[in-house]
Amino acid sequence: MPQRHSKNNNDLAFFTYDEKKKLGYGTQKERLGRDSIKPFDACCLCLKHFIDPMCCQKGHVFCKECIFECLLSQKKDIQRKQAAHTAQQKQENQEEEDKLLQQKARELEAFDQQNHGALPQYNDRNQSRDKTGFHGANSVKVTSYEEEALRTMKAFWLPSATPAAPAKVDAPSTSTVCPEGSEKLKLKSLFPVYYTEDNSEKKKSSSLDKTFICPSCKVTLTNTMSLVALSSCGHVFCKKCADKFMAVDKVCLVCDKGCKERHLVNLAKGGTGFAGHGDNLEAKDFKHLGSGSGLGLVRPAVKT
């Protein structure tokens, strides 16, 4: 049986789709593995095991030091932008005042010339030429007439006459945002979360890493499970126990503190290499086709 023509016809003046794919050009797609996904017990900022975890109302968990430093840097950045915006407004007001003064000066000069039109008028160019001589291209001194000419002349090839676009600073937002979800975040809206550590003798003898369990059903917490935290007390449960007990009894099973349905916060999951869990686990990269780029050597052909 003959093979496909597009995969074997290599005498064309252009690359076929299969040849581009073998060379590594075009849109490359690759599914992320387990090592590329954040665990549920890792900080969203430093990507390490969290220390004194804090959670926002959207379920993103951060280290206390990391989120405090992030919010503080955002506040400093907002203050810097506000100062730049205030300085820009002050400069614009000053320019408007200067324009009004120049307009009044031109009106007075036009009125004076109209009333004393018989008198000879001497411009700045003639006076400066009599005093300082001819100003050529290499001259350091520039008269006001030449400055005005350079300012109004549209000669983009001259460095001195190149127009410059003013950098306009918009009024910044005065609210800090969550670094993970990009929603408004205040320091008082954060609440600490407490995971129940597995202290069984079997677990202590088998592993040195910390593992967390649900305080209700004693099931080990993993990325495959949906977790719920109570914003009233901070204890973390699995989704099944939270819907079965806390949503009905309106009380925490660990500290017996009352809670409402609005206190149930679904924690964001990192996912695994086999299930998406709401996260996009497919990486895409587009590589242009060009001679001498060497992309085909960096990414060899993938057999499909």
Side-chain angles (χ1 to χ4, degrees):
M1 184 175 180
Q3 296 181 352
R4 295 181 61 180
H5 179 70
S6 61
K7 290 188 177 182
N8 297 278
N9 187 12
N10 54 7
D11 58 348
L12 299 177
F14 55 89
F15 285 117
T16 61
Y17 174 78
D18 188 69
E19 290 173 345
K20 291 179 182 178
K21 192 174 181 181
K22 288 182 178 180
L23 288 174
Y25 298 111
T27 303
Q28 303 294 331
K29 298 180 181 180
E30 185 175 354
R31 188 174 182 85
L32 300 178
R34 183 179 180 182
D35 297 336
S36 302
I37 301 168
K38 183 185 74 66
F40 76 95
D41 57 348
C43 173
C44 294
L45 290 175
C46 64
L47 302 180
K48 297 179 181 179
H49 183 76
F50 46 60
I51 301 174
D52 296 333
M54 304 287 290
C55 182
C56 67
Q57 298 298 327
K58 295 294 183 180
H60 303 114
V61 183
F62 310 93
C63 295
K64 185 176 183 179
E65 182 180 359
C66 294
I67 190 61
F68 280 17
E69 185 178 356
C70 179
L71 295 179
L72 180 60
S73 63
Q74 288 186 28
K75 290 182 179 179
K76 289 182 178 180
D77 191 32
I78 290 173
Q79 292 177 358
R80 180 184 58 81
K81 291 181 179 179
Q82 284 180 345
H85 181 66
T86 304
Q88 181 183 1
Q89 286 183 336
K90 186 176 180 180
Q91 183 180 2
E92 290 178 355
N93 295 335
Q94 185 67 29
E95 290 178 356
E96 290 293 334
E97 292 179 0
D98 293 343
K99 286 182 181 180
L100 292 176
L101 292 177
Q102 291 177 4
Q103 181 67 22
K104 291 181 179 179
R106 283 194 293 267
E107 291 177 358
L108 290 175
E109 185 179 359
F111 178 78
D112 190 27
Q113 289 180 0
Q114 184 178 3
N115 293 330
H116 304 83
L119 296 178
Q121 301 293 330
Y122 299 96
N123 54 19
D124 295 339
R125 186 176 184 182
N126 296 331
Q127 293 179 0
S128 61
R129 182 174 296 180
D130 295 338
K131 294 179 181 180
T132 58
F134 176 76
H135 296 290
N138 298 326
S139 178
V140 178
K141 298 180 180 180
V142 180
T143 61
S144 60
Y145 179 82
E146 292 172 351
E147 289 180 355
E148 183 67 23
L150 287 175
R151 192 161 45 247
T152 57
M153 182 174 56
K154 297 180 180 179
F156 59 88
W157 57 89
L158 296 178
S160 59
T162 302
K168 189 172 181 62
V169 181
D170 298 330
S173 176
T174 57
S175 59
T176 55
V177 297
C178 177
E180 186 71 15
S182 299
E183 68 271 356
K184 292 183 179 181
L185 178 64
K186 294 183 179 179
L187 188 61
K188 62 181 181 180
S189 63
L190 295 171
F191 63 92
V193 291
Y194 304 100
Y195 288 83
T196 304
E197 188 176 353
D198 189 3
N199 296 323
S200 61
E201 296 295 334
K202 182 179 180 180
K203 192 61 182 176
K204 286 183 179 180
S205 60
S206 61
S207 177
L208 298 177
D209 297 334
K210 289 184 178 180
T211 57
F212 302 101
I213 60 174
C214 175
S216 177
C217 60
K218 308 300 180 182
V219 175
T220 304
L221 303 181
T222 60
N223 277 5
T224 59
M225 300 178 61
S226 299
L227 305 180
V228 175
L230 298 179
S231 61
S232 57
C233 60
H235 291 104
V236 179
F237 300 88
C238 63
K239 180 74 172 174
K240 294 182 179 179
C241 295
D243 294 341
K244 188 175 181 180
F245 299 107
M246 269 73 72
V248 178
D249 299 337
K250 308 295 183 182
V251 65
C252 178
L253 299 179
V254 178
C255 60
D256 294 335
K257 187 175 182 179
C259 62
K260 297 181 180 180
E261 188 175 357
R262 58 184 175 87
H263 294 150
L264 300 178
V265 178
N266 295 321
L267 298 183
K269 295 185 294 185
T272 63
F274 304 98
H277 293 315
D279 294 340
N280 187 13
L281 301 179
E282 190 177 52
K284 294 183 180 180
D285 187 18
F286 180 75
K287 298 179 179 179
H288 296 277
L289 177 62
S291 59
S293 60
L295 294 178
L297 300 177
V298 175
R299 188 180 184 87
V302 181
K303 294 182 179 180
T304 56

